[in-house]
Amino acid sequence: MDLNDLIAQEAIIPALKVNSKKQLLQIMADKASVISGLPEREVFETILQREKLGTTGVGNGIAIPHGKLPDLEKIIGIFARLEHSVDFEALDDQPVDLVFLLLAPESAGADHLKALSRVARLLREPEMVNKLRNTYEVEALYSLLIQNPGL
């Protein structure tokens, strides 16, 4: 599964200014709402419920919030690079500055897990993470995210 199947250029937020995890998730839910056509509140509640099960802050300043929605037609991703790190209750207690929101249809099954795995693999690459942290333009961030189809 390639990331260009999951994310569109308009789903990238290159320099997001937020003060909290909740504000971050609200803004990302709003962006997902615009892209998916689903109500922002439904998206927000879905990712908030998932966070209550355990943090999606995976460490090294990275979070991969995710959830399943019944009316979603296909898996979508939203990527945000934060101007300033925020506390995300991450596994390593480090603040988060790179966030990849992944939403899937309830019926996605294994495809949802494949997409999560693909995103996690990409964001485990130290060189990739460094490039994402030091890139400020939407087009350049998009190119970085989709350039590694075999990863």
Side-chain angles (χ1 to χ4, degrees):
M1 177 171 292
D2 291 344
L3 281 188
N4 59 344
D5 295 331
L6 304 177
I7 192 163
Q9 193 165 302
E10 59 270 12
I12 293 176
I13 308 168
L16 184 57
K17 293 180 186 176
V18 293
N19 297 315
S20 68
K21 176 180 179 176
K22 184 176 181 184
Q23 184 185 24
L24 166 62
L25 294 176
Q26 284 175 318
I27 291 171
M28 294 197 76
D30 183 58
K31 182 66 129 172
S33 171
V34 170
I35 290 169
S36 69
L38 295 176
E40 181 269 336
R41 189 94 196 128
E42 183 181 347
V43 175
F44 179 67
E45 291 295 330
T46 298
I47 55 180
L48 210 54
Q49 283 301 111
R50 172 56 190 84
E51 285 300 314
K52 287 179 181 174
L53 297 175
T55 185
T56 57
V58 296
N60 194 30
I62 296 163
I64 310 173
H66 55 277
K68 291 184 176 184
L69 295 151
D71 298 325
L72 196 62
E73 293 181 13
K74 66 178 194 124
I75 299 173
I76 63 165
I78 311 289
F79 176 80
R81 188 189 144 282
L82 307 186
E83 280 208 358
H84 304 285
S85 301
V86 295
D87 178 21
F88 207 89
E89 301 155 5
L91 297 173
D92 63 357
D93 291 320
Q94 297 300 306
V96 162
D97 66 338
L98 297 176
V99 183
F100 198 111
L101 171 64
L102 200 59
L103 299 172
E106 276 187 350
S107 61
D111 286 342
H112 175 67
L113 296 176
K114 286 178 190 171
L116 267 173
S117 174
R118 175 72 180 86
V119 170
R121 258 195 327 273
L122 179 74
L123 295 177
R124 266 199 309 263
E125 292 292 321
E127 186 178 330
M128 173 58 68
V129 169
N130 189 44
K131 286 179 183 177
L132 290 170
R133 285 194 168 120
N134 292 294
T135 302
Y136 304 92
E137 295 82 32
V138 169
E139 297 83 6
L141 286 165
Y142 180 70
S143 292
L144 283 170
L145 289 169
I146 66 165
Q147 77 181 1
N148 295 305
L151 200 62

